[in-house]
Amino acid sequence: MSVLVVVECDNGEVKKSSLEVASYGSQVAQMLGTSATAIAVGEATEANLAKLGEQGISKVLYDAEPRLKDFVNGAYTKLIATAAQQEDSKVIVLANSNIGAAVGSRLSVRLQASLATNVVELPKVNNGQFLVKRGAFSGKAFADVTLQGDRKIIAVKKNSIEALHEAGKTAQVVAFSAQLTDADFADAPKQVVMQDQAGGILLPEADKVVSGGRGMKGPENWYLIEDLAKALGAATACSKPVSDVDWRPHHEHVGQTGITVSPNLYIACGISGAIQHLAGVNSSKVIVVINKDPEAPFFKAADYGIVGDVFDVLPKLTQAVKELG
Amino acid sequence: MKFLVCISNVPDTTTKITFTPDNKEFNKAGVQFVINPWDEYALTRAIELKEAQGSGTVTVLNVGEADTEPNIRKALAIGADDAIRVNAHPKDAYFVAQQIASVAKEGGYDVILMGKESIDYNGFQVHGMVGEMLGIPTVAPAMKLDMNGNTATLEREIEGGKEIVEVNTPFVASCQQPMCEPRIPNMRGIMTARTKPLKVIEPVGEGARTEVAEYALPPKKQGVKLIPAESAGDLIKLLRNEAKVI
């Protein structure tokens, strides 16, 4: 028996959120007195998979089937279920991502496991009973949830767990095959379209986010947001009204019905802070609000604030970041 | 084509969240409940597709106690043809998924739609569980859904992009924007909704696999530290030296 960790890879690299998942899984394995095995999905290199040893993983299973490079719900579910059966895994840990949610929910039925998503802390384990803390009410509350039964699946929210880095430790990479057939790829994508990412930083994976609202007055002023984001190495985002009027694409919309982000730093520029927007950002570690209206509700949720005109403040911030070097 | 749209009854998005004294349940007192905003995309898109096909039905399904009926009626007013309520407290995603799978199997639905997740429990689980129970594909989260005969073309959001996926009916999709512009009921819809059929059935299956031991609110923020706009650059120093995030 081991803990099975699902590791998502992209362009040969292990995603940051999956390093957190691997660290979570290896710590759970330690609690249970067992080891952590990873099953890698997506496009990975053997060298990068071996480095998962730094996150406490002892063995990585990898199926080099080329059709697994893109996400395919049916095939991924079978691959992971097969690995879980081979490893006799009682606990499966994956990312609370679009892939993790799509696969985890199917796996929970196939493996008769209890499932908790959006998990923000390591579990409390007592006599085989798991108690996990998960986000609920769109970030406005937490729920401690008991997971019943013999098997458990845990989907870990991004940026809630510190990734381990034990330098020099390597994992053994083992070829693995789930004997996938054409039928398993029936729901394979016809086409995959990747967005142009500002500065190459993916919003859901970003450590730092600079976000603009209607206070930016128009899409032509977005260079102010992009300049600061570039200087900080941050991703850019926006509020719902901004994506509704097409100043920015939908995939940048952060909020209740958009993307939920939990970066270390969220800088809101000209966003008043409607409760629906806060729902998408309130698990950020540090929130900075820049708004000329001192009564903007966002200041109540902020750690740092500047009451001032974004057109005046943003260039100053960008300059100050550049001076930091 | 038969559409089944699953809706949750959730606290309005502006609700201040509080819990019962034992912290085991959400405190419903004085709270306005609405159709889960993500589910509104599923509902409106199903109605649009039915209208485009010129035939078919849209059935709304809710797992909930009698207090959810005003929002079921609202869904009927928006344009669904009939409704089913599974008379039970929605204990967890697995419990709810079993109810949906059972109704879907019995009714022979072609397309099963729901929102990406509910804004109260935020599980993002039910779609895949239902698909797996029925042995049919799931597409989650779907940003676009078009039908051509029995084949659906969907755009599925992935981190950093999208996949174009084709599936044949029956299938499950969990919906999110920008799939459509959710509709609101008009007067005629509200009048006709009163007489549309709403069937109440009893739950099936094995119960829940998870249980909430306790809810808690996040720790309160310390309060905002304001930096004068004139010395905005000082913020960057604070972020490095005090908050240590850059």
Side-chain angles (χ1 to χ4, degrees):
Chain A
M1 179 207 136
S2 72
V3 170
L4 185 69
V5 170
V6 180
V7 169
E8 295 176 26
C9 304
D10 204 5
N11 288 325
E13 309 239 2
V14 178
K15 288 185 188 172
K16 177 178 168 269
S17 51
S18 284
L19 296 178
E20 295 162 8
V21 166
S23 306
Y24 189 104
S26 68
Q27 288 173 82
V28 172
Q30 208 163 32
M31 287 177 194
L32 300 175
T34 176
S35 61
T37 299
I39 171 91
V41 294
E43 194 180 10
T45 65
E46 194 170 332
N48 282 333
L49 293 179
K51 271 203 289 195
L52 282 164
E54 296 183 8
Q55 282 76 46
I57 301 295
S58 40
K59 184 168 79 177
V60 184
L61 307 175
Y62 185 55
D63 187 337
E65 156 71 51
R67 287 180 293 180
L68 286 169
K69 180 173 153 292
D70 292 322
F71 172 71
V72 185
N73 208 342
Y76 276 36
T77 305
K78 186 170 169 188
L79 177 78
I80 298 162
T82 309
Q85 275 147 357
Q86 177 189 299
E87 298 291 312
D88 189 24
S89 306
K90 299 287 188 245
V91 181
I92 301 172
V93 187
L94 32 73
N96 197 60
S97 60
N98 284 344
I99 291 177
V103 173
S105 52
R106 292 199 77 111
L107 277 176
S108 72
V109 171
R110 196 169 300 183
L111 300 174
Q112 298 183 320
S114 52
L115 169 63
T117 52
N118 218 12
V119 171
V120 296
E121 270 178 19
L122 286 168
K124 293 185 181 79
V125 180
N126 190 1
N127 274 336
Q129 265 255 0
F130 270 51
L131 186 70
V132 294
K133 188 184 276 303
R134 63 183 300 277
F137 293 95
S138 303
K140 288 185 263 185
F142 293 103
D144 282 330
V145 177
T146 50
L147 298 182
Q148 289 149 8
D150 196 27
R151 279 209 180 101
K152 287 108 183 161
I153 302 178
I154 298 174
V156 181
K157 185 178 166 142
K158 286 163 199 168
N159 213 25
S160 15
I161 301 294
E162 197 77 41
L164 303 172
H165 285 285
E166 295 174 48
K169 285 181 78 175
T170 53
Q172 182 196 4
V173 182
V174 181
F176 176 76
S177 171
Q179 314 287 332
L180 298 172
T181 63
D182 285 351
D184 300 315
F185 290 91
D187 59 340
K190 300 286 167 236
Q191 196 190 347
V192 179
V193 185
M194 296 311 283
Q195 296 138 7
D196 286 336
Q197 298 299 324
I201 295 159
L202 220 54
L203 178 58
E205 294 270 319
D207 272 341
K208 305 179 200 92
V209 176
V210 184
S211 187
R214 267 181 304 190
M216 294 304 298
K217 295 209 163 74
E220 67 280 7
N221 298 322
W222 234 261
Y223 71 95
L224 291 166
I225 300 276
E226 284 163 353
D227 286 352
L228 178 60
K230 199 172 167 201
L232 283 168
T236 58
C238 69
S239 65
K240 182 167 190 289
V242 165
S243 79
D244 281 351
V245 295
D246 279 338
W247 290 359
R248 301 297 292 175
H250 159 70
H251 63 81
E252 284 202 358
H253 158 205
V254 163
Q256 185 120 43
T257 50
I259 290 179
T260 304
V261 293
S262 48
N264 292 328
L265 175 62
Y266 185 81
I267 303 182
C269 311
I271 303 176
S272 64
I275 195 159
Q276 292 87 348
H277 185 75
L278 294 182
V281 306
N282 52 14
S283 50
S284 307
K285 298 228 161 68
V286 173
I287 295 179
V288 174
V289 171
I290 304 161
N291 204 300
K292 65 179 177 191
D293 176 10
E295 302 297 318
F298 217 153
F299 282 115
K300 289 202 178 74
D303 300 284
Y304 297 95
I306 296 179
V307 179
D309 189 342
V310 285
F311 297 96
D312 165 49
V313 171
L314 280 174
K316 283 186 188 161
L317 295 182
T318 305
Q319 187 57 31
V321 174
K322 286 180 179 160
E323 282 165 10
L324 275 183
Chain B
M1 190 157 282
K2 290 181 75 178
F3 293 90
L4 180 66
V5 178
C6 313
I7 63 169
S8 286
N9 193 55
V10 299
D12 180 75
T13 55
T14 57
T15 305
K16 188 174 187 309
I17 304 300
T18 60
F19 300 105
T20 52
D22 64 358
N23 284 326
K24 280 187 184 292
E25 299 267 354
F26 173 69
N27 180 10
K28 289 183 179 179
V31 170
Q32 171 81 29
F33 278 76
V34 296
I35 299 173
N36 178 42
W38 301 98
D39 299 340
E40 291 186 339
Y41 293 101
L43 175 62
T44 298
R45 191 63 190 140
I47 295 167
E48 287 175 355
L49 289 168
K50 184 196 98 168
E51 287 171 354
Q53 290 168 0
S55 67
T57 55
V58 175
T59 301
V60 169
L61 171 61
N62 170 258
V63 179
E65 285 156 345
D67 58 356
T68 69
E69 289 198 4
N71 279 328
I72 299 177
R73 288 282 172 208
K74 189 180 166 196
L76 292 170
I78 290 170
D81 300 290
D82 62 340
I84 300 168
R85 180 170 68 81
V86 179
N87 185 31
H89 177 65
K91 295 183 199 90
D92 76 345
Y94 179 68
F95 175 79
V96 170
Q98 289 176 87
Q99 312 313 319
I100 297 171
S102 160
V103 168
K105 205 174 207 170
E106 213 155 285
Y109 293 92
D110 304 294
V111 179
I112 302 163
L113 301 181
M114 60 191 73
K116 174 190 169 186
E117 63 184 26
S118 67
I119 63 164
D120 52 358
Y121 200 73
N122 302 114
F124 194 12
Q125 303 178 358
V126 172
H127 52 91
M129 292 179 173
V130 171
E132 185 72 20
M133 286 169 186
L134 297 173
I136 60 177
T138 41
V139 181
M143 303 191 288
K144 205 172 166 194
L145 164 61
D146 289 308
M147 297 292 304
N148 182 6
N150 290 326
T151 305
T153 306
L154 300 106
E155 283 184 13
R156 171 180 189 280
E157 184 171 60
I158 52 175
E159 274 78 8
K162 61 189 177 189
E163 289 182 352
I164 317 293
V165 185
E166 268 179 28
V167 291
N168 290 330
T169 58
F171 67 92
V172 181
S174 73
C175 308
Q176 68 170 45
Q177 66 173 14
M179 181 170 279
C180 58
E181 192 56 48
R183 290 186 190 177
I184 50 171
N186 57 27
M187 192 43 81
R188 192 169 157 267
I190 294 167
M191 300 303 286
T192 55
R194 290 182 190 165
T195 52
K196 286 179 178 172
L198 193 169
K199 191 163 79 174
V200 179
I201 59 174
E202 291 307 310
V204 296
E206 343 157 353
R209 280 182 180 162
T210 63
E211 190 183 358
V212 174
E214 189 173 34
Y215 283 109
L217 296 173
K220 280 226 172 357
K221 283 268 181 188
Q222 295 277 325
V224 60
K225 189 181 240 183
L226 288 174
I227 294 107
E230 302 78 58
S231 47
D234 290 353
L235 169 69
I236 300 300
K237 290 184 197 124
L238 286 168
L239 291 178
R240 167 158 291 186
N241 301 323
E242 190 179 86
K244 300 189 194 318
V245 288
I246 59 174

